[in-house]
Amino acid sequence: MSTATVTTTAPVPTEPSKAAKVKRRSFDPWGVVAWIAAIGFFFPVFWMVLTAFKQEVDAYTTTPKVFFAPTLDQFRAVFDQGIGTALLNSLFATVVSTLLVLALGVPAAFALSLRPVRKTQDALFFFMSTKMLPIVAAIIPLYVIVSNVGLLDNIWALIILYTAMNLPIAVWMMRSFFLEVPGELLEAASLDGAGTWRTMREVILPIVSPGIAATALICVIFAWNEFFFAVNLTAVQAQTMPVFLVGFIAGEGLYWAKLCAASTMAALPVILAGWLAQNKLVRGLSFGAIK
């Protein structure tokens, strides 16, 4: 008997056809729409930065002036007016309140998701119900309480309020991230003898770290941009960046160049924070979106 040998040859990759190349290079109208929308959203920021390098006479013109002699006078002026103190106050209040939110929100989200307690839905509804009260309706009792405890015009009053303001949102966001963790990991850690804190530290947190980064950035943005509490509960010592920016609105008009310079300085820390956390932010925002 003779055995026949069958030989198989791997398919040879072929060059993409001309039709495929033409289709790939074809005009995409939605791409153009996306670029126009992106430029439209970015243009106000670009114009703000551009105006920050102008003199007031160049910034306050009926016809927008694109070509001018750039200068740093407006940045020197805003630093002379005390923007450094406002920046430090905003940074301190934002960073400390965000850390407190994470320290309180991570265990709460863990308890409401992977280790659910009784009446979890009631607790979640209570968290979100604190966001239903308009801030303007609570400012008078808050002002009286802060004044009585001696924290008026004190940065710690803002830290406490920012923590309470961002904690419900953080718990809801981080709970959704914790729910994506497979239960088998908890069972395996329990069989290996790991306790609750060790399981959270060595198993859970590395998995949900992108979600925590996204939550932290949301809290940073909300705390950094908060104006109502700051303008009513601070005056000079605890003045934050949003309150400082209002000082450029005078009775005789707006100081456009100085306001743009101060606004550029105010936006820079948040932009840097988003740029540094962009990798984890993208993963966190898409956490659980693809199974």
Side-chain angles (χ1 to χ4, degrees):
M1 295 179 62
S2 63
T3 58
T5 59
V6 178
T7 59
T8 60
T9 59
V12 179
T14 59
E15 291 288 334
S17 62
K18 292 183 178 181
K21 290 183 178 180
V22 172
K23 185 177 180 181
R24 192 179 304 169
R25 297 175 184 175
S26 62
F27 177 75
D28 186 7
W30 288 111
V32 176
V33 172
W35 272 104
I36 293 175
I39 294 173
F41 280 111
F42 177 73
F43 182 77
V45 179
F46 167 75
W47 192 256
M48 176 188 71
V49 177
L50 192 68
T51 307
F53 293 93
K54 295 180 180 180
Q55 296 287 353
E56 290 292 343
V57 66
D58 296 326
Y60 205 82
T61 57
T62 303
T63 302
K65 184 176 289 188
V66 180
F67 301 101
F68 58 93
T71 179
L72 296 176
D73 292 343
Q74 310 308 326
F75 290 96
R76 298 190 189 98
V78 295
F79 274 101
D80 292 339
Q81 294 184 13
I83 193 176
T85 303
L87 273 172
L88 291 177
N89 287 335
S90 290
L91 284 173
F92 185 73
T94 300
V95 171
V96 175
S97 64
T98 301
L99 292 177
L100 289 175
V101 166
L102 295 180
L104 297 173
V106 169
F110 178 80
L112 294 172
S113 57
L114 300 180
R115 300 293 187 188
V117 297
R118 294 181 59 187
K119 297 184 178 180
T120 298
Q121 296 300 324
D122 294 343
L124 290 171
F125 177 77
F126 171 76
F127 284 142
M128 291 309 296
S129 66
T130 60
K131 303 294 293 181
M132 299 178 186
L133 179 67
I135 299 178
V136 68
I139 191 60
I140 294 179
L142 285 175
Y143 185 90
V144 174
I145 294 172
V146 171
S147 179
N148 289 336
V149 298
L151 290 179
L152 201 61
D153 198 16
N154 192 307
I155 196 64
W156 284 103
L158 295 181
I159 291 174
I160 295 172
L161 291 174
Y162 291 171
T163 303
M165 176 183 70
N166 289 327
L167 186 58
I169 300 175
V171 171
W172 271 81
M173 288 185 63
M174 287 188 291
R175 179 177 179 269
S176 64
F177 298 138
F178 277 117
L179 289 175
E180 298 296 331
V181 177
E184 291 79 5
L185 291 178
L186 297 178
E187 297 177 0
S190 179
L191 291 176
D192 291 340
T196 302
W197 287 108
R198 185 180 178 185
T199 301
M200 177 179 287
R201 185 178 64 254
E202 299 182 4
V203 179
I204 307 294
L205 291 183
I207 296 176
V208 300
S209 59
I212 294 177
T215 304
L217 187 60
I218 295 296
C219 294
V220 166
I221 294 174
F222 284 169
W224 185 268
N225 293 331
E226 199 283 323
F227 175 76
F228 193 76
F229 286 145
V231 75
N232 286 282
L233 301 178
T234 66
V236 178
Q237 297 180 3
Q239 188 183 57
T240 58
M241 280 303 303
V243 180
F244 179 81
L245 294 177
V246 178
F248 294 96
I249 303 176
E252 61 271 14
L254 296 175
Y255 294 94
W256 287 112
K258 287 183 182 179
L259 181 60
C260 289
S263 300
T264 301
M265 295 298 300
L268 190 60
V270 179
I271 294 174
L272 290 177
W275 179 71
L276 292 175
Q278 60 180 335
N279 293 330
K280 289 187 176 295
L281 179 63
V282 173
R283 291 176 57 195
L285 293 177
S286 61
F287 199 86
I290 301 176
K291 296 292 184 181

